Amino acid sequence: MRTQFNQALALFNEMVMNMEIGEALDMIQPDVILSDAEKQEYNSALSDAFPDPFIGSATVQSEALKSGFRQEMLAYWTEGGDYLYLYLVMHTQGAQQQVIHVEHSTTFSKFISRF
């Protein structure tokens, strides 16, 4: 199960690093249907906020909660020192893992305080 999650996370990170956040969000939230226009809006907003390309990504914090819930804080950064943080909440039921909540911020303290 963790291997499958790590593979999906690697693909998700690759999409975000390529400024394809609309496609990344669409991939991890299958119950939320984004139109092509909505995906492009997300991508354009990310490109506008981060004109320099991302050069790195990492899982800042990961925590298993109770009853199959998990929270993750991901970070992406540019050479110029700009950071994007994503906060994900997932729930696993049986063999199925689902992302049930996603937030983003450029402020580190917004999410790290949740761990």
Side-chain angles (χ1 to χ4, degrees):
M1 182 69 130
R2 187 67 189 178
T3 300
Q4 186 179 18
F5 171 77
N6 287 340
Q7 290 170 342
L9 180 59
L11 180 58
F12 179 83
N13 285 336
E14 183 180 328
M15 289 175 166
V16 174
M17 297 276 295
N18 290 328
M19 300 290 181
E20 299 170 342
I21 196 164
E23 290 78 5
L25 293 172
D26 193 50
M27 177 189 78
I28 65 166
Q29 293 184 297
D31 58 327
V32 177
I33 308 295
L34 296 176
S35 69
D36 288 342
E38 289 171 316
K39 291 179 207 175
Q40 187 55 45
E41 284 178 39
Y42 278 112
N43 296 346
S44 294
L46 184 63
S47 293
D48 290 347
F50 295 91
D52 295 328
F54 290 118
I55 60 166
S57 69
T59 299
V60 176
Q61 189 69 279
S62 178
E63 180 180 31
L65 305 171
K66 295 181 179 184
S67 302
F69 288 91
R70 166 171 223 84
Q71 62 180 354
E72 304 261 342
M73 181 178 171
L74 309 175
Y76 306 87
W77 58 91
T78 68
E79 191 170 297
D82 295 317
Y83 290 84
L84 171 66
Y85 302 99
L86 295 177
Y87 175 76
L88 309 175
V89 177
M90 295 156 280
H91 188 228
T92 302
Q93 294 183 36
Q96 177 131 7
Q97 186 172 55
Q98 176 179 347
V99 175
I100 59 173
H101 183 74
V102 178
E103 289 181 62
H104 69 278
S105 179
T106 56
T107 306
F108 181 81
S109 61
K110 180 173 181 176
F111 302 136
I112 198 64
S113 61
R114 297 179 183 179
F115 292 87

